[in-house]
Amino acid sequence: MSPRNEEQNMQIKDERREQILSAALKVFAKKGFAASKISDIVAAAGVSHGLFYHYFKSKEEVFYELLKQAITSSTQAILMVNNMPISPLEKVRQTAKYILGGIESFEDSAYYFLIVIHAFVMDAPAEIKALTENPNLQIFSKIVRDGQQTGEFREGDPDGMTMTFFAAIQGLAMYKLALQNFQMPDPEILVDMLRKA
Amino acid sequence: MSPRNEEQNMQIKDERREQILSAALKVFAKKGFAASKISDIVAAAGVSHGLFYHYFKSKEEVFYELLKQAITSSTQAILMVNNMPISPLEKVRQTAKYILGGIESFEDSAYYFLIVIHAFVMDAPAEIKALTENPNLQIFSKIVRDGQQTGEFREGDPDGMTMTFFAAIQGLAMYKLALQNFQMPDPEILVDMLRKA
DNA sequence: TTTATTATTGACAGACGAGTCAATCAACGG
DNA sequence: CCGTTGATTGACTCGTCTGTCAATAATAAA
């Protein structure tokens, strides 16, 4: 009855989707949403123009999808660090090392940070802006409060401190992808933003 | 001979140019270069489509112009602080207070920072990238080295520390314009990135 | 080998936006 | 009040990009 069995079709579908998403991640990160053409993405993915629309409804849908991936993957990373049996200071240190290391080695995380940046500066509908208000910040904010209680961290608004921490990381990710030969700084600099003097 | 005298024409010319540039600054900051339409800019400026091209050669030219303004104005600010007869630590503190204050109060500086961000993530020709490698960083890097010699600042690569400092500021400017009700943090957080523990 | 089903292609339509240009308006010197 | 000059306008052109669609290729079951 069926020419290819369902399982095989699923596998092809997943592969192609992944192929297109991976190419789109790099293109969007480099050029931003508006400047990225479908032709750029399909060329990078090595598929035809029509196939893009076979797997995705629109350019927007792909961007949303990548943005969601960016949020969830970074949330998982934070959760992992947060569940370690270590002090708040050490949690922050591990977070900084982990993220900066990922960006330094040009893993996908570097591109994901750029996607988030583009989403931020995109004049997007509220739907997208809502995605950027991820739970990471709340988890991290809690870590900061804990660190303030143990006396490891400086006084001040935990949310503001959290935002500044991630602002620095996003800025560094931007530099990394924009400037060739940019070397990521010592993660300890970020730790010291929060540490008590 | 001349219907309007030269002086008056010059004045009108300057006014219109300024009007268009000011509108373009906000539009570019909010939407980025590619997503900004001429119709957005002229609507914000309250002039006609044709007049835009009477005063500027292209959309690109306006963006370049704004980017150059962003660089020169920030360079002047840094130079001003650098010439004060104060310690390196205090120079950094003044810089942080000055910049964060400007962004907080939604002066043009906030929008200029966004322009620089867009230039960074724009996949622009080398010509533009070159503009973003401004002398600010060298001046600030010198301040950091001085502070390391006096023992006020932590050890480490001065350039990396400088980049991280400005990365944080650019990230914060991004948050400020993207998120309503975002309040800028205490500038002292930025100072502590550099200060010796 | 045939057939059914789905992946895959590229030509096409429709929309939209940058930049042009001929026409109009405004203002001042004469 | 007239004429000249330059500011100002908006309709138009032309290229490009997104999304559609009918046709083709591939593959595994029958």
Side-chain angles (χ1 to χ4, degrees):
Chain A
M1 193 153 307
S2 181
R4 257 179 250 95
N5 66 43
E6 200 56 26
E7 194 180 340
Q8 283 168 319
N9 278 328
M10 277 298 194
Q11 189 181 341
I12 291 178
K13 228 166 167 167
D14 284 351
E15 270 176 27
R16 286 288 168 279
R17 267 186 69 94
E18 189 48 47
Q19 197 174 342
I20 292 170
L21 281 171
S22 173
L25 171 64
K26 271 101 177 172
V27 173
F28 281 140
K30 183 163 191 172
K31 308 184 131 186
F33 179 78
S36 296
K37 290 171 280 189
I38 302 294
S39 60
D40 295 327
I41 296 172
V42 298
V47 300
S48 74
H49 188 109
L51 198 62
F52 179 95
Y53 286 97
H54 182 68
Y55 287 111
F56 297 97
K57 207 176 78 240
S58 65
K59 198 172 97 168
E60 249 190 351
E61 192 196 6
V62 174
F63 190 82
Y64 286 5
E65 176 71 27
L66 289 170
L67 185 57
K68 273 190 279 184
Q69 287 184 9
I71 304 295
T72 59
S73 75
S74 77
T75 298
Q76 284 176 345
I78 298 249
L79 278 175
M80 191 191 69
V81 169
N82 191 40
N83 286 334
M84 292 177 178
I86 52 181
S87 72
L89 177 69
E90 200 56 34
K91 285 181 183 177
V92 169
R93 179 173 286 130
Q94 290 304 319
T95 303
K97 278 174 80 170
Y98 179 81
I99 295 179
L100 263 54
I103 296 174
E104 173 69 35
S105 54
F106 278 114
E107 291 166 11
D108 276 1
S109 68
Y111 298 98
Y112 280 127
F113 272 104
L114 264 288
I115 295 289
V116 174
I117 290 178
H118 285 297
F120 257 115
V121 297
M122 213 179 123
D123 186 38
E127 182 185 346
I128 292 193
K129 292 286 184 207
L131 275 184
T132 61
E133 289 166 6
N134 45 17
N136 303 355
L137 302 180
Q138 292 163 31
I139 300 169
F140 200 86
S141 203
K142 173 69 163 48
I143 296 177
V144 172
R145 272 195 299 279
D146 291 345
Q148 287 176 329
Q149 286 210 328
T150 67
E152 290 171 316
F153 292 165
R154 54 177 299 131
E155 296 307 309
D157 173 34
D159 290 340
M161 292 162 73
T162 298
M163 296 296 261
T164 311
F165 183 84
F166 283 105
I169 290 174
Q170 275 173 327
L172 289 171
M174 186 177 79
Y175 289 161
K176 180 64 183 178
L177 261 69
L179 309 173
Q180 61 284 40
N181 301 340
F182 175 68
Q183 197 164 355
M184 294 302 271
D186 185 352
E188 208 62 24
I189 296 181
L190 296 180
V191 177
D192 281 353
M193 286 180 15
L194 310 179
R195 183 152 45 174
K196 175 158 266 171
Chain B
M1 193 149 311
S2 183
R4 257 177 251 94
N5 66 44
E6 201 54 30
E7 194 180 339
Q8 282 168 320
N9 277 329
M10 277 298 194
Q11 189 181 340
I12 290 178
K13 230 167 164 165
D14 284 350
E15 269 176 28
R16 287 288 168 280
R17 266 185 71 94
E18 190 48 47
Q19 196 175 342
I20 293 171
L21 280 171
S22 173
L25 172 63
K26 271 100 178 173
V27 174
F28 281 140
K30 183 162 192 173
K31 309 184 129 185
F33 178 78
S36 295
K37 292 171 280 191
I38 301 295
S39 58
D40 295 327
I41 296 172
V42 297
V47 300
S48 74
H49 189 108
L51 198 63
F52 178 96
Y53 287 97
H54 183 68
Y55 287 111
F56 297 97
K57 206 176 78 241
S58 65
K59 198 171 97 169
E60 249 191 351
E61 193 198 4
V62 174
F63 190 82
Y64 287 4
E65 176 72 26
L66 289 170
L67 186 57
K68 273 189 278 183
Q69 287 183 8
I71 304 296
T72 58
S73 74
S74 77
T75 299
Q76 284 176 345
I78 297 249
L79 278 175
M80 192 190 69
V81 169
N82 191 40
N83 286 333
M84 291 178 178
I86 52 182
S87 73
L89 176 70
E90 199 56 33
K91 285 181 183 176
V92 169
R93 178 173 285 131
Q94 291 303 319
T95 303
K97 278 174 81 169
Y98 179 81
I99 295 180
L100 263 53
I103 295 173
E104 173 68 35
S105 54
F106 278 113
E107 292 166 12
D108 276 2
S109 69
Y111 298 99
Y112 279 129
F113 272 103
L114 264 289
I115 295 288
V116 174
I117 289 179
H118 285 297
F120 257 114
V121 297
M122 215 178 119
D123 187 38
E127 182 186 344
I128 292 194
K129 292 285 185 208
L131 275 184
T132 62
E133 289 167 6
N134 45 16
N136 302 355
L137 302 180
Q138 291 163 33
I139 301 170
F140 200 86
S141 202
K142 174 69 163 48
I143 296 178
V144 172
R145 272 195 299 277
D146 291 345
Q148 287 176 328
Q149 287 209 328
T150 67
E152 290 171 315
F153 291 165
R154 55 177 298 132
E155 297 307 310
D157 173 34
D159 290 340
M161 292 162 73
T162 298
M163 295 298 259
T164 311
F165 183 84
F166 283 105
I169 289 175
Q170 275 173 327
L172 289 171
M174 187 177 79
Y175 289 160
K176 180 65 184 176
L177 261 69
L179 308 174
Q180 62 283 40
N181 301 340
F182 175 68
Q183 196 164 357
M184 294 302 271
D186 184 354
E188 208 62 22
I189 296 181
L190 296 180
V191 177
D192 280 354
M193 286 180 15
L194 309 179
R195 182 150 50 172
K196 174 158 266 170

PDB file of all heavy atoms in Angstrom, chain A residues 148-169:
ATOM      1  N   GLN A 148      23.772  36.491  47.737  1.00  0.00           N
ATOM      2  CA  GLN A 148      23.759  37.686  48.584  1.00  0.00           C
ATOM      3  C   GLN A 148      23.539  37.292  50.038  1.00  0.00           C
ATOM      4  O   GLN A 148      24.104  37.890  50.952  1.00  0.00           O
ATOM      5  CB  GLN A 148      22.663  38.653  48.120  1.00  0.00           C
ATOM      6  CG  GLN A 148      23.011  39.362  46.813  1.00  0.00           C
ATOM      7  CD  GLN A 148      21.884  40.250  46.308  1.00  0.00           C
ATOM      8  OE1 GLN A 148      20.711  39.967  46.526  1.00  0.00           O
ATOM      9  NE2 GLN A 148      22.251  41.322  45.628  1.00  0.00           N
ATOM     10  N   GLN A 149      22.720  36.285  50.249  1.00  0.00           N
ATOM     11  CA  GLN A 149      22.447  35.844  51.621  1.00  0.00           C
ATOM     12  C   GLN A 149      23.674  35.199  52.252  1.00  0.00           C
ATOM     13  O   GLN A 149      23.940  35.399  53.439  1.00  0.00           O
ATOM     14  CB  GLN A 149      21.273  34.853  51.618  1.00  0.00           C
ATOM     15  CG  GLN A 149      19.943  35.539  51.377  1.00  0.00           C
ATOM     16  CD  GLN A 149      18.795  34.813  52.046  1.00  0.00           C
ATOM     17  OE1 GLN A 149      18.816  33.588  52.174  1.00  0.00           O
ATOM     18  NE2 GLN A 149      17.799  35.557  52.491  1.00  0.00           N
ATOM     19  N   THR A 150      24.399  34.443  51.447  1.00  0.00           N
ATOM     20  CA  THR A 150      25.607  33.837  52.005  1.00  0.00           C
ATOM     21  C   THR A 150      26.741  34.851  52.100  1.00  0.00           C
ATOM     22  O   THR A 150      27.796  34.546  52.664  1.00  0.00           O
ATOM     23  CB  THR A 150      26.094  32.666  51.121  1.00  0.00           C
ATOM     24  OG1 THR A 150      26.530  33.193  49.860  1.00  0.00           O
ATOM     25  CG2 THR A 150      24.983  31.650  50.886  1.00  0.00           C
ATOM     26  N   GLY A 151      26.519  36.036  51.573  1.00  0.00           N
ATOM     27  CA  GLY A 151      27.528  37.083  51.672  1.00  0.00           C
ATOM     28  C   GLY A 151      28.596  37.015  50.597  1.00  0.00           C
ATOM     29  O   GLY A 151      29.553  37.788  50.612  1.00  0.00           O
ATOM     30  N   GLU A 152      28.438  36.108  49.632  1.00  0.00           N
ATOM     31  CA  GLU A 152      29.437  36.015  48.571  1.00  0.00           C
ATOM     32  C   GLU A 152      29.286  37.136  47.540  1.00  0.00           C
ATOM     33  O   GLU A 152      30.268  37.549  46.907  1.00  0.00           O
ATOM     34  CB  GLU A 152      29.298  34.677  47.832  1.00  0.00           C
ATOM     35  CG  GLU A 152      29.724  33.471  48.639  1.00  0.00           C
ATOM     36  CD  GLU A 152      29.344  32.166  47.925  1.00  0.00           C
ATOM     37  OE1 GLU A 152      28.215  32.066  47.410  1.00  0.00           O
ATOM     38  OE2 GLU A 152      30.178  31.260  47.880  1.00  0.00           O
ATOM     39  N   PHE A 153      28.030  37.587  47.364  1.00  0.00           N
ATOM     40  CA  PHE A 153      27.775  38.564  46.309  1.00  0.00           C
ATOM     41  C   PHE A 153      27.527  39.957  46.870  1.00  0.00           C
ATOM     42  O   PHE A 153      27.122  40.130  48.019  1.00  0.00           O
ATOM     43  CB  PHE A 153      26.551  38.143  45.480  1.00  0.00           C
ATOM     44  CG  PHE A 153      26.778  36.908  44.653  1.00  0.00           C
ATOM     45  CD1 PHE A 153      25.697  36.228  44.109  1.00  0.00           C
ATOM     46  CD2 PHE A 153      28.056  36.428  44.389  1.00  0.00           C
ATOM     47  CE1 PHE A 153      25.892  35.089  43.338  1.00  0.00           C
ATOM     48  CE2 PHE A 153      28.256  35.294  43.629  1.00  0.00           C
ATOM     49  CZ  PHE A 153      27.169  34.622  43.100  1.00  0.00           C
ATOM     50  N   ARG A 154      27.732  40.909  46.025  1.00  0.00           N
ATOM     51  CA  ARG A 154      27.498  42.306  46.368  1.00  0.00           C
ATOM     52  C   ARG A 154      26.015  42.553  46.595  1.00  0.00           C
ATOM     53  O   ARG A 154      25.157  41.789  46.141  1.00  0.00           O
ATOM     54  CB  ARG A 154      27.985  43.202  45.243  1.00  0.00           C
ATOM     55  CG  ARG A 154      27.362  42.803  43.887  1.00  0.00           C
ATOM     56  CD  ARG A 154      27.770  43.730  42.775  1.00  0.00           C
ATOM     57  NE  ARG A 154      27.324  45.057  43.070  1.00  0.00           N
ATOM     58  CZ  ARG A 154      28.094  46.122  42.992  1.00  0.00           C
ATOM     59  NH1 ARG A 154      29.333  45.995  42.610  1.00  0.00           N
ATOM     60  NH2 ARG A 154      27.633  47.310  43.301  1.00  0.00           N
ATOM     61  N   GLU A 155      25.707  43.628  47.276  1.00  0.00           N
ATOM     62  CA  GLU A 155      24.310  44.027  47.436  1.00  0.00           C
ATOM     63  C   GLU A 155      23.798  44.626  46.127  1.00  0.00           C
ATOM     64  O   GLU A 155      24.582  44.958  45.240  1.00  0.00           O
ATOM     65  CB  GLU A 155      24.180  45.050  48.566  1.00  0.00           C
ATOM     66  CG  GLU A 155      24.568  44.499  49.926  1.00  0.00           C
ATOM     67  CD  GLU A 155      23.828  43.220  50.266  1.00  0.00           C
ATOM     68  OE1 GLU A 155      22.591  43.224  50.143  1.00  0.00           O
ATOM     69  OE2 GLU A 155      24.481  42.214  50.615  1.00  0.00           O
ATOM     70  N   GLY A 156      22.501  44.772  46.016  1.00  0.00           N
ATOM     71  CA  GLY A 156      21.929  45.382  44.821  1.00  0.00           C
ATOM     72  C   GLY A 156      20.790  44.554  44.282  1.00  0.00           C
ATOM     73  O   GLY A 156      20.577  43.414  44.690  1.00  0.00           O
ATOM     74  N   ASP A 157      20.069  45.138  43.350  1.00  0.00           N
ATOM     75  CA  ASP A 157      18.914  44.471  42.752  1.00  0.00           C
ATOM     76  C   ASP A 157      19.348  43.201  42.012  1.00  0.00           C
ATOM     77  O   ASP A 157      20.098  43.284  41.035  1.00  0.00           O
ATOM     78  CB  ASP A 157      18.234  45.442  41.787  1.00  0.00           C
ATOM     79  CG  ASP A 157      17.129  44.754  41.001  1.00  0.00           C
ATOM     80  OD1 ASP A 157      16.472  43.866  41.570  1.00  0.00           O
ATOM     81  OD2 ASP A 157      16.933  45.120  39.825  1.00  0.00           O
ATOM     82  N   PRO A 158      18.882  42.030  42.458  1.00  0.00           N
ATOM     83  CA  PRO A 158      19.307  40.773  41.818  1.00  0.00           C
ATOM     84  C   PRO A 158      18.927  40.711  40.346  1.00  0.00           C
ATOM     85  O   PRO A 158      19.688  40.185  39.517  1.00  0.00           O
ATOM     86  CB  PRO A 158      18.553  39.698  42.608  1.00  0.00           C
ATOM     87  CG  PRO A 158      18.153  40.354  43.880  1.00  0.00           C
ATOM     88  CD  PRO A 158      17.962  41.802  43.569  1.00  0.00           C
ATOM     89  N   ASP A 159      17.769  41.240  39.992  1.00  0.00           N
ATOM     90  CA  ASP A 159      17.360  41.221  38.592  1.00  0.00           C
ATOM     91  C   ASP A 159      18.287  42.074  37.738  1.00  0.00           C
ATOM     92  O   ASP A 159      18.699  41.662  36.647  1.00  0.00           O
ATOM     93  CB  ASP A 159      15.914  41.732  38.453  1.00  0.00           C
ATOM     94  CG  ASP A 159      14.914  40.739  39.024  1.00  0.00           C
ATOM     95  OD1 ASP A 159      15.270  39.554  39.174  1.00  0.00           O
ATOM     96  OD2 ASP A 159      13.783  41.150  39.325  1.00  0.00           O
ATOM     97  N   GLY A 160      18.617  43.245  38.228  1.00  0.00           N
ATOM     98  CA  GLY A 160      19.529  44.110  37.495  1.00  0.00           C
ATOM     99  C   GLY A 160      20.885  43.463  37.315  1.00  0.00           C
ATOM    100  O   GLY A 160      21.489  43.534  36.236  1.00  0.00           O
ATOM    101  N   MET A 161      21.368  42.814  38.378  1.00  0.00           N
ATOM    102  CA  MET A 161      22.658  42.146  38.295  1.00  0.00           C
ATOM    103  C   MET A 161      22.612  41.001  37.287  1.00  0.00           C
ATOM    104  O   MET A 161      23.548  40.790  36.513  1.00  0.00           O
ATOM    105  CB  MET A 161      23.061  41.632  39.680  1.00  0.00           C
ATOM    106  CG  MET A 161      23.366  42.770  40.648  1.00  0.00           C
ATOM    107  SD  MET A 161      23.342  42.259  42.391  1.00  0.00           S
ATOM    108  CE  MET A 161      24.850  41.310  42.512  1.00  0.00           C
ATOM    109  N   THR A 162      21.506  40.285  37.308  1.00  0.00           N
ATOM    110  CA  THR A 162      21.337  39.178  36.359  1.00  0.00           C
ATOM    111  C   THR A 162      21.329  39.675  34.921  1.00  0.00           C
ATOM    112  O   THR A 162      22.014  39.133  34.042  1.00  0.00           O
ATOM    113  CB  THR A 162      20.017  38.441  36.646  1.00  0.00           C
ATOM    114  OG1 THR A 162      20.063  37.887  37.956  1.00  0.00           O
ATOM    115  CG2 THR A 162      19.782  37.335  35.631  1.00  0.00           C
ATOM    116  N   MET A 163      20.555  40.720  34.687  1.00  0.00           N
ATOM    117  CA  MET A 163      20.475  41.271  33.335  1.00  0.00           C
ATOM    118  C   MET A 163      21.843  41.738  32.864  1.00  0.00           C
ATOM    119  O   MET A 163      22.209  41.532  31.693  1.00  0.00           O
ATOM    120  CB  MET A 163      19.501  42.456  33.311  1.00  0.00           C
ATOM    121  CG  MET A 163      18.068  42.089  33.640  1.00  0.00           C
ATOM    122  SD  MET A 163      17.325  40.982  32.423  1.00  0.00           S
ATOM    123  CE  MET A 163      16.387  42.156  31.443  1.00  0.00           C
ATOM    124  N   THR A 164      22.588  42.368  33.734  1.00  0.00           N
ATOM    125  CA  THR A 164      23.904  42.866  33.342  1.00  0.00           C
ATOM    126  C   THR A 164      24.835  41.709  32.982  1.00  0.00           C
ATOM    127  O   THR A 164      25.594  41.773  32.014  1.00  0.00           O
ATOM    128  CB  THR A 164      24.519  43.695  34.474  1.00  0.00           C
ATOM    129  OG1 THR A 164      23.556  44.651  34.929  1.00  0.00           O
ATOM    130  CG2 THR A 164      25.758  44.418  33.999  1.00  0.00           C
ATOM    131  N   PHE A 165      24.745  40.662  33.767  1.00  0.00           N
ATOM    132  CA  PHE A 165      25.545  39.458  33.502  1.00  0.00           C
ATOM    133  C   PHE A 165      25.258  38.923  32.101  1.00  0.00           C
ATOM    134  O   PHE A 165      26.178  38.694  31.308  1.00  0.00           O
ATOM    135  CB  PHE A 165      25.205  38.404  34.563  1.00  0.00           C
ATOM    136  CG  PHE A 165      25.984  37.130  34.475  1.00  0.00           C
ATOM    137  CD1 PHE A 165      27.248  37.023  35.045  1.00  0.00           C
ATOM    138  CD2 PHE A 165      25.455  36.023  33.839  1.00  0.00           C
ATOM    139  CE1 PHE A 165      27.966  35.836  34.979  1.00  0.00           C
ATOM    140  CE2 PHE A 165      26.161  34.827  33.768  1.00  0.00           C
ATOM    141  CZ  PHE A 165      27.422  34.741  34.341  1.00  0.00           C
ATOM    142  N   PHE A 166      23.988  38.772  31.789  1.00  0.00           N
ATOM    143  CA  PHE A 166      23.642  38.218  30.477  1.00  0.00           C
ATOM    144  C   PHE A 166      23.840  39.232  29.354  1.00  0.00           C
ATOM    145  O   PHE A 166      24.125  38.858  28.210  1.00  0.00           O
ATOM    146  CB  PHE A 166      22.220  37.666  30.483  1.00  0.00           C
ATOM    147  CG  PHE A 166      22.118  36.335  31.161  1.00  0.00           C
ATOM    148  CD1 PHE A 166      21.555  36.223  32.430  1.00  0.00           C
ATOM    149  CD2 PHE A 166      22.620  35.199  30.561  1.00  0.00           C
ATOM    150  CE1 PHE A 166      21.490  34.995  33.073  1.00  0.00           C
ATOM    151  CE2 PHE A 166      22.563  33.967  31.195  1.00  0.00           C
ATOM    152  CZ  PHE A 166      21.994  33.866  32.462  1.00  0.00           C
ATOM    153  N   ALA A 167      23.694  40.487  29.678  1.00  0.00           N
ATOM    154  CA  ALA A 167      23.973  41.523  28.678  1.00  0.00           C
ATOM    155  C   ALA A 167      25.423  41.420  28.226  1.00  0.00           C
ATOM    156  O   ALA A 167      25.724  41.489  27.029  1.00  0.00           O
ATOM    157  CB  ALA A 167      23.691  42.902  29.261  1.00  0.00           C
ATOM    158  N   ALA A 168      26.314  41.233  29.192  1.00  0.00           N
ATOM    159  CA  ALA A 168      27.731  41.117  28.859  1.00  0.00           C
ATOM    160  C   ALA A 168      27.973  39.892  27.977  1.00  0.00           C
ATOM    161  O   ALA A 168      28.711  39.949  26.991  1.00  0.00           O
ATOM    162  CB  ALA A 168      28.564  41.027  30.129  1.00  0.00           C
ATOM    163  N   ILE A 169      27.331  38.791  28.326  1.00  0.00           N
ATOM    164  CA  ILE A 169      27.520  37.567  27.543  1.00  0.00           C
ATOM    165  C   ILE A 169      27.014  37.748  26.118  1.00  0.00           C
ATOM    166  O   ILE A 169      27.677  37.361  25.151  1.00  0.00           O
ATOM    167  CB  ILE A 169      26.799  36.387  28.221  1.00  0.00           C
ATOM    168  CG1 ILE A 169      27.539  36.011  29.511  1.00  0.00           C
ATOM    169  CG2 ILE A 169      26.704  35.198  27.277  1.00  0.00           C
ATOM    170  CD1 ILE A 169      26.844  34.955  30.328  1.00  0.00           C
TER     171      ILE A 169
END
